[in-house]
Amino acid sequence: MKKYWTVFKTEFQKSSEYRLEFFGHMIMGLFTFAVMVFVFRAIFQGNPEIAGYTFSSVFTYLVMTKFLHPAIRWNVARLLADEIKEGRLSAYLLKPFGVLRYWFSLFWADRLVDILIRLSLIVAFLVLLPRYFSFPGFGTTLSFGLSLVLALFLNFTFNILLSLFAFWVTDIRLFSTAIDLAVGFFAGALVPLDFLPGILKPASFFLPFQYLLYFPIRVFQGAVGPEQTWVGMLISLGWLVALLILLDYFWRKGIKHYEAIGQ
Amino acid sequence: MRYLSLYFHFFRVSLMAALEYRFNLLVWTFLNLFWTLLSFVGIELLFGQVSSIAGWPKQEIFLLLIIWTIFHDFLSIFIRPSLRQISHLIRHGKFDFLLLKPVSLRFLSSVQDFGIDSVSRFCLTSVILVFFLRQMGIEPSLLLWLDFTLLFLSGAIIFYSFFFALAGLNFWFINLFNLDDLHSRLIDAGRFPIDIFRGRAKTFFTYLLPIAFIAFFPAQILLGRIGSEWVVYGAVMASVFFIASQLFWSLALRSYSSASS
């Protein structure tokens, strides 16, 4: 356990070194955010409520989408896929540690720095724009925190599953695009799931993607009752277990297939 | 003539390099088309809830998105790949090689690379534009197409100049954040009608950082809402941006210190 803690600490320090870069990205992200706020303000002009949302609740939704961005990032998948593709995975396999546990430590260190920096964004919005963005109370924040942790666990599992394609194909971009599509529609990254028409909306509730983004945001907004919150978390946990079983299966298959090309 | 021949030479080299990795080219082409489709679906979802955005009905928003895609790809083919290289060349001390060549530095920095993977979408959306306008009942005259093209090119020169000036920041700040990301975000903002902005924001995006030139003005001229005087305004803005970027670049270049060579 100590070795993974050391990996976590080292990666945390390394990621903190690049905090200016994180901030740079966040500031640029704020520009896109501001444009989206203008778009939704135009949409809500003359429409006080759309699909159960007011402009204020959409504003909170957009802010929280920015905050939860670490839960829909696929950087770990790209990095690990490169290690597999270039044959560098051999170096990990020869060392006395679990490869996935090592990447798990790297993942959490990276996400923690990201979340901490994004927290400053939340504080800024709470202070500067209380009319649109307000503190939901300690109980709701705690529920949100739990759903965020589950979202990050799910994100890690998806990242690793995505990277495992590199055992069989040389380029995983098509798969990462597929997951981007799934996240765009079924996690609520493009628009809140309540905006989806016809069968897409009920379909989204049977998929794991909403637990990456939509569900935690709705918990934060207090739109999900206490009982539904627990049910949602249990379903999210169920998906996590199912995906972990899938991950374990494909990891074993992949390792057998691994050829250490170039090493 | 010499510059024209150099331009085509660089383009040919980029084309040959892209064709070496045909599968990659195919994948990127597919992904580009896919993201365009997704943008249209996103708009469709919003229009499932409302009938217009800032007074623009669905068809006109689609027109805006088609023009935006053409503009985006135009920059992705002819402008952004070379500008992306500048920070890399400065950071690794390879910019010296450009300085030593007996060709205009600005020209050389701006034509080194081309984004061949955006060519197919650029062609496809250009054809779609013609058919879409016909479907909207708009048959632009030759003069209107000329006005549209001139406004479009003015926008391209404005954004090329702005991004070129931004690239000059690399002479001062070696570890500058990802400028290409900034380019993408600025261009992305041009997908929407300028009417969504109000007050100072609207003035800013119309006159100071005119993202209105990306798709809004070209769409407006095709819809017959603005006249040829805006083409003149476009030409003036393009000239101002071009000259200002040259002045800024020259100033920044003085701070260049070779990193390794």
Side-chain angles (χ1 to χ4, degrees), chain B residues 26 36 38 46 98 109 133 136 151 181 194 196 230 248:
Chain B
L26 203 72
T36 313
L38 195 65
L46 287 179
L98 263 64
S109 309
L133 284 170
M136 284 178 82
L151 259 179
D181 195 20
I194 286 299
I196 62 162
W230 285 85
F248 184 81

Side-chain angles (χ1 to χ4, degrees), chain B residues 149-164:
Chain B
T149 311
L150 289 173
L151 259 179
F152 183 90
L153 289 175
S154 297
I157 294 170
I158 288 169
F159 277 88
Y160 155 67
S161 305
F162 184 62
F163 294 160
F164 185 70

Side-chain angles (χ1 to χ4, degrees), chain A residues 100-112:
Chain A
L100 294 183
R101 283 178 204 169
Y102 170 81
W103 280 87
F104 186 73
S105 310
L106 290 183
F107 172 86
W108 277 99
D110 173 74
R111 292 302 192 265
L112 192 62

Side-chain angles (χ1 to χ4, degrees), chain B residues 137-196:
Chain B
I138 301 168
E139 297 264 354
S141 65
L142 217 60
L143 193 69
L144 194 63
W145 274 121
L146 184 71
D147 280 350
F148 167 79
T149 311
L150 289 173
L151 259 179
F152 183 90
L153 289 175
S154 297
I157 294 170
I158 288 169
F159 277 88
Y160 155 67
S161 305
F162 184 62
F163 294 160
F164 185 70
L166 279 181
L169 289 174
N170 282 291
F171 293 120
W172 284 308
F173 311 103
I174 300 295
N175 278 323
L176 203 61
F177 55 85
N178 192 351
L179 280 177
D180 198 51
D181 195 20
L182 181 67
H183 298 171
S184 299
R185 288 173 195 275
L186 283 175
I187 297 168
D188 278 356
R191 267 185 302 179
F192 306 102
I194 286 299
D195 303 322
I196 62 162

Side-chain angles (χ1 to χ4, degrees), chain A:
Chain A
M1 202 60 195
K2 200 180 160 193
K3 51 194 169 191
Y4 303 112
W5 175 240
T6 310
V7 171
F8 175 85
K9 276 196 299 187
T10 315
E11 182 64 17
F12 185 81
Q13 280 167 356
K14 206 172 109 191
S15 297
S16 309
E17 280 296 312
Y18 295 101
R19 58 190 179 277
L20 201 66
E21 205 173 312
F22 264 123
F23 263 115
H25 277 288
M26 206 172 75
I27 299 293
M28 284 193 281
L30 279 181
F31 177 74
T32 316
F33 167 79
V35 172
M36 287 317 290
V37 169
F38 276 112
V39 170
F40 274 101
R41 201 170 67 168
I43 289 171
F44 274 90
Q45 211 167 22
N47 302 298
E49 199 176 297
I50 297 171
Y53 287 79
T54 60
F55 173 65
S56 173
S57 56
V58 161
F59 184 87
T60 307
Y61 193 94
L62 290 174
V63 173
M64 293 312 286
T65 309
K66 283 272 157 238
F67 181 69
L68 281 159
H69 189 251
I72 50 167
R73 276 172 65 206
W74 312 113
N75 59 332
V76 169
R78 274 197 307 275
L79 291 171
L80 183 55
D82 279 348
E83 300 293 77
I84 296 169
K85 195 172 74 180
E86 308 284 335
R88 290 191 296 263
L89 186 71
S90 317
Y92 296 91
L93 293 170
L94 294 170
K95 286 185 182 123
F97 59 62
V99 179
L100 294 183
R101 283 178 204 169
Y102 170 81
W103 280 87
F104 186 73
S105 310
L106 290 183
F107 172 86
W108 277 99
D110 173 74
R111 292 302 192 265
L112 192 62
V113 174
D114 199 352
I115 293 273
L116 286 175
I117 289 170
R118 282 167 199 275
L119 209 56
S120 60
L121 177 85
I122 297 292
V123 174
F125 276 112
L126 283 173
V127 174
L128 299 171
L129 293 164
R131 202 176 129 204
Y132 296 111
F133 191 79
S134 52
F135 183 63
F138 286 104
T140 309
T141 307
L142 189 69
S143 304
F144 167 72
L146 281 174
S147 59
L148 170 65
V149 170
L150 279 169
L152 289 171
F153 268 108
L154 272 174
N155 177 251
F156 172 75
T157 317
F158 273 125
N159 261 293
I160 301 296
L161 271 171
L162 198 58
S163 71
L164 297 188
F165 281 108
F167 280 122
W168 292 277
V169 294
T170 50
D171 201 330
I172 65 157
R173 272 177 305 182
L174 277 178
F175 301 100
S176 62
T177 304
I179 203 158
D180 268 333
L181 169 78
V183 164
F185 279 106
F186 299 118
L190 206 59
V191 286
L193 293 184
D194 309 278
F195 280 58
L196 292 184
I199 195 160
L200 286 177
K201 190 180 166 185
S204 68
F205 290 99
F206 290 101
L207 295 167
F209 304 108
Q210 64 150 319
Y211 299 101
L212 292 169
L213 204 71
Y214 175 81
F215 180 71
I217 295 177
R218 296 304 274 164
V219 168
F220 181 85
Q221 291 188 302
V224 187
E227 203 175 303
Q228 282 171 295
T229 304
W230 288 112
V231 172
M233 283 190 202
L234 278 174
I235 297 174
S236 172
L237 206 61
W239 273 113
L240 185 64
V241 172
L243 289 167
L244 281 171
I245 293 169
L246 213 61
L247 189 151
D248 185 59
Y249 174 76
F250 281 111
W251 173 255
R252 283 167 201 270
K253 281 258 174 200
I255 287 293
K256 280 185 192 160
H257 197 267
Y258 179 59
E259 289 171 2
I261 292 164
Q263 297 293 309

Side-chain angles (χ1 to χ4, degrees), chain B residues 102-145:
Chain B
V103 187
S104 152
L105 183 62
R106 179 166 192 160
F107 173 79
L108 210 54
S109 309
S110 308
V111 301
Q112 293 174 71
D113 200 6
F114 293 86
I116 305 298
D117 47 7
S118 296
V119 171
S120 49
R121 191 174 70 168
F122 175 76
C123 297
L124 186 69
T125 33
S126 302
V127 174
I128 289 174
L129 174 67
V130 176
F131 283 101
F132 192 78
L133 284 170
R134 196 169 292 169
Q135 201 217 334
M136 284 178 82
I138 301 168
E139 297 264 354
S141 65
L142 217 60
L143 193 69
L144 194 63
W145 274 121

